[in-house]
Amino acid sequence: MAIAPAFLLTGIFSLLNVLAGRLGRLIDRERAIRQGTARPLPGEARRLAQRAWRIHRAIGGSVLAAILLCGLIVTAFAGIFLGLRVAWLLAALLVGAMLAMMAALALFLGEVRLAAQHLPLDGE
């Protein structure tokens, strides 16, 4: 039972890798615009700032979820070894971690939608 949350950490770390990659590309784009090596699209500066805000918050939510899951694992093992009743604490940690992940994924979806606004998806 205490090992299952450890597998969730793998998914969180994968999401963090994706988010860090997107943030890196965003920073590269902003630098290229600032240095004059790329022309900005209309409204791009504002959109880049919005995207960066969402990615930063999504990273924060993912890290919070990982910390809560680590706390859950430690608490579960400590509860077993010390004979403590920690079921409510474990449930609270798991619910908190999942809420943080839901928020991070919603922010990630919002960032992807903002990024897609620059694409000519309507056949132009």
Side-chain angles (χ1 to χ4, degrees):
M1 182 72 113
I3 299 300
F7 292 110
L8 290 174
L9 287 172
T10 303
I12 291 173
F13 295 141
S14 296
L15 177 62
L16 280 169
N17 189 33
V18 169
L19 291 169
R22 292 184 74 84
L23 182 60
R25 293 186 72 172
L26 224 161
I27 291 168
D28 291 342
R29 176 68 180 158
E30 193 276 330
R31 277 190 191 139
I33 291 170
R34 193 168 12 107
Q35 293 171 350
T37 58
R39 284 189 16 225
L41 297 168
E44 186 174 11
R46 180 182 53 79
R47 195 167 289 133
L48 287 175
Q50 290 173 337
R51 288 179 59 197
W53 184 88
R54 286 191 171 122
I55 290 174
H56 280 261
R57 296 306 181 275
I59 289 171
S62 298
V63 169
L64 177 60
I67 290 170
L68 290 172
L69 284 174
C70 289
L72 185 150
I73 293 167
V74 168
T75 303
F77 277 107
I80 291 168
F81 288 127
L82 300 175
L84 303 173
R85 293 184 185 180
V86 293
W88 281 102
L89 180 55
L90 295 178
L93 288 169
L94 183 60
V95 168
M98 291 302 100
L99 289 173
M101 271 312 296
M102 288 170 59
L105 289 169
L107 287 162
F108 177 53
L109 177 62
E111 189 275 331
V112 169
R113 293 189 73 184
L114 273 173
Q117 289 178 359
H118 283 301
L119 299 175
L121 298 177
D122 57 356
E124 291 179 24

